[in-house]
Amino acid sequence: MATEQRNALAEYRTKLAQVKSIFDLDTKRARLSELQLEAAAPGLWDNPAAAQKVTKELSAVEDDVKVHDSFAQRLDDLKVLEELAGEEDDADALAEVDEGLEGLAKDFVELETRVLLGGEYDGHDAVVTVHAGAGGTDSQDWAEMLYRMVRRWAEAHRFKVEVYDEQFGDEAGIRSATFSVAGARAYGWLRSEHGVHRLVRISPFDSQARRHTAFASIDVIPQMEEGDEEIEIADDDLRVDVYRSSGPGGQGVNTTDSAVRLTHIPTGLVTSCQNERSQLQNKATAMRLLKARLAVLEREKREAELAAVRGDQRSVEWGSQLRSYVLHPYQMVKDHRTGQETGNTQAVLDGALDDFMTAYLQWQARGGEPAGGDDVD
């Protein structure tokens, strides 16, 4: 038993050394010192936007270092306890080491996940758009369920959600909704949700109670910060439409033409905002969203050109479902990329997405090969 524990602790020490190298912990510590000095500067809040950027980065780097150091300290403490237990042949202490190893296994997943969230824009906030797909009212209802699911996930992590635009369905649900999610590595987490989601259930809108399949998509892009991308948009390339903000009725309906829709003519990209107080504010928000989408489009174009040079034949099928949610005749949520699945469908629809997100990051780190296995009907 003691030998197994000793080997497990040695394995974690090796893994920790690998994580420290990939994590670039020394650079993080140096950056932490710089940020702490910047945050303590007397005139920091003279520029609120810059101050928020500093405090946000400080919180993220501080948290990374804390998680690593906490794991390293627990590993050291367990090593000392294991040595004492071995010398004294203390069964209770050995049992405590076993319990500690179980805790280390869970903590290492979190530490490893932080390493995987090291992409270029993973540290940014996210802009999420949910679109109803084929399926009529069922699809619009499904889009609203996904909208709620992502927002519940964000709220559970104490992330800030700001709604930019909501287009309600004729009978139920939504045609689309656009909102931002602000929090530590919001984009890094939420990019796992980008793509088409499929729902199979007994339709509440079918008088004959038949099983229906509905589709909706989630689009996730990083919220660009000032200086990230210099996107210039010529006036001739932009069409601006103003319209009356819509709502489900009552006080939700605006009586002025303050909503703004921007169309980038060369690419056909469209963004809109209706939830700010004025037309100017709505236009400014829609412009930020448009620049973010253009930046993503340009980056995808560069990546496609690079793949062509490398001779990479792997295609990205954006139109295929990434996850299925079956509510009838059985309960199952399955991610077709990673193979991650659960029978607790209600928890997932209530925002319990962490396991799916972590599995996606690990799958992507392995090269993104399809998980295989049978589909769910």
Side-chain angles (χ1 to χ4, degrees):
M1 178 67 74
T3 301
E4 292 177 4
Q5 293 174 333
R6 196 171 299 117
N7 290 340
L9 290 168
E11 184 178 350
Y12 274 122
R13 192 162 296 281
T14 300
K15 288 181 177 180
L16 184 62
Q18 294 171 343
V19 165
K20 182 178 179 180
S21 176
I22 300 171
F23 214 27
D24 202 2
L25 191 67
D26 292 337
T27 300
K28 283 186 182 292
R29 290 194 194 281
R31 182 58 180 156
L32 179 59
S33 298
E34 294 173 0
L35 290 167
Q36 287 171 336
L37 288 174
E38 291 181 34
L44 174 68
W45 288 97
D46 292 346
N47 185 339
Q52 288 176 358
K53 191 171 182 179
V54 168
T55 54
K56 179 182 173 183
E57 185 182 356
L58 173 61
S59 177
V61 175
E62 203 169 37
D63 200 36
D64 282 346
V65 173
K66 180 181 177 181
V67 168
H68 172 276
D69 289 352
S70 176
F71 183 89
Q73 185 61 54
R74 289 187 63 190
L75 183 59
D76 287 341
D77 291 345
L78 277 179
K79 186 176 184 299
V80 171
L81 182 61
E82 184 275 327
E83 289 173 351
L84 290 174
E87 290 173 1
E88 300 178 8
D89 196 22
D90 187 334
D92 290 338
L94 287 173
E96 190 176 341
V97 174
D98 279 335
E99 185 178 342
L101 283 170
E102 291 179 8
L104 279 184
K106 295 177 182 178
D107 291 345
F108 187 76
V109 171
E110 180 184 357
L111 186 59
E112 185 182 41
T113 300
R114 288 173 180 268
V115 174
L116 298 177
L117 285 168
E120 182 180 4
Y121 295 107
D122 282 355
H124 286 222
D125 297 336
V127 177
V128 183
T129 302
V130 181
H131 291 285
T137 303
D138 274 291
S139 177
Q140 293 171 4
D141 188 52
W142 174 223
E144 185 173 37
M145 291 167 67
L146 290 176
Y147 178 34
R148 174 183 177 274
M149 179 184 77
V150 175
R151 292 188 62 174
R152 289 292 295 271
W153 174 85
E155 290 160 3
H157 289 76
R158 298 183 180 179
F159 287 1
K160 180 182 177 183
V161 174
E162 182 178 357
V163 178
Y164 294 143
D165 186 54
E166 294 173 313
Q167 299 295 324
F168 295 92
D170 297 328
E171 298 180 38
I174 58 171
R175 292 194 295 273
S176 69
T178 299
F179 57 102
S180 66
V181 178
R185 298 179 177 83
Y187 174 70
W189 286 111
L190 284 168
R191 58 187 171 86
S192 65
E193 304 307 294
H194 181 98
V196 177
H197 298 245
R198 181 180 70 155
L199 173 70
V200 181
R201 66 170 177 176
I202 298 295
S203 171
F205 308 103
D206 187 332
S207 59
Q208 298 182 45
R210 290 172 294 189
R211 189 170 72 156
H212 283 238
T213 299
F215 294 89
S217 66
I218 298 178
D219 178 55
V220 184
I221 61 174
Q223 179 85 279
M224 293 302 176
E225 299 175 2
E226 188 176 351
D228 284 337
E229 297 279 354
E230 295 298 331
I231 300 293
E232 297 294 335
I233 302 176
D235 291 341
D236 293 343
D237 291 340
L238 196 64
R239 186 174 74 240
V240 181
D241 298 308
V242 295
Y243 58 98
R244 186 160 297 177
S245 300
S246 63
Q251 295 180 353
V253 179
N254 202 327
T255 57
T256 62
D257 293 333
S258 61
V260 175
R261 180 185 299 109
L262 300 181
T263 304
H264 187 246
I265 297 170
T267 62
L269 289 174
V270 178
T271 60
S272 59
C273 183
Q274 65 171 331
N275 284 15
E276 301 290 353
R277 291 181 179 272
S278 71
Q279 186 182 116
L280 285 176
Q281 289 175 314
N282 281 325
K283 184 178 180 181
T285 299
M287 183 64 79
R288 286 201 307 272
L289 295 177
L290 180 58
K291 287 186 175 183
R293 292 191 183 283
L294 286 171
V296 170
L297 186 65
E298 183 61 31
R299 190 168 71 253
E300 289 175 350
K301 187 187 301 182
R302 292 197 301 266
E303 290 172 353
E305 290 171 353
L306 182 60
V309 171
R310 291 196 307 258
D312 190 349
Q313 300 299 313
R314 185 184 302 166
S315 61
V316 180
E317 300 294 340
W318 294 106
S320 59
Q321 71 234 17
L322 59 91
R323 194 177 298 147
S324 290
Y325 306 71
V326 180
L327 306 185
H328 183 85
Y330 55 90
Q331 303 277 313
M332 175 70 71
V333 179
K334 180 174 181 179
D335 194 297
H336 303 292
R337 302 162 300 181
T338 66
Q340 180 76 19
E341 61 182 50
T342 178
N344 193 349
T345 57
Q346 190 57 54
V348 174
L349 293 173
D350 284 339
L353 295 170
D354 286 2
D355 289 345
F356 286 94
M357 291 175 168
T358 300
Y360 171 80
L361 292 169
Q362 294 170 339
W363 167 81
Q364 192 176 53
R366 295 193 302 269
E369 294 296 334
D374 296 334
D375 197 358
V376 287
D377 296 321

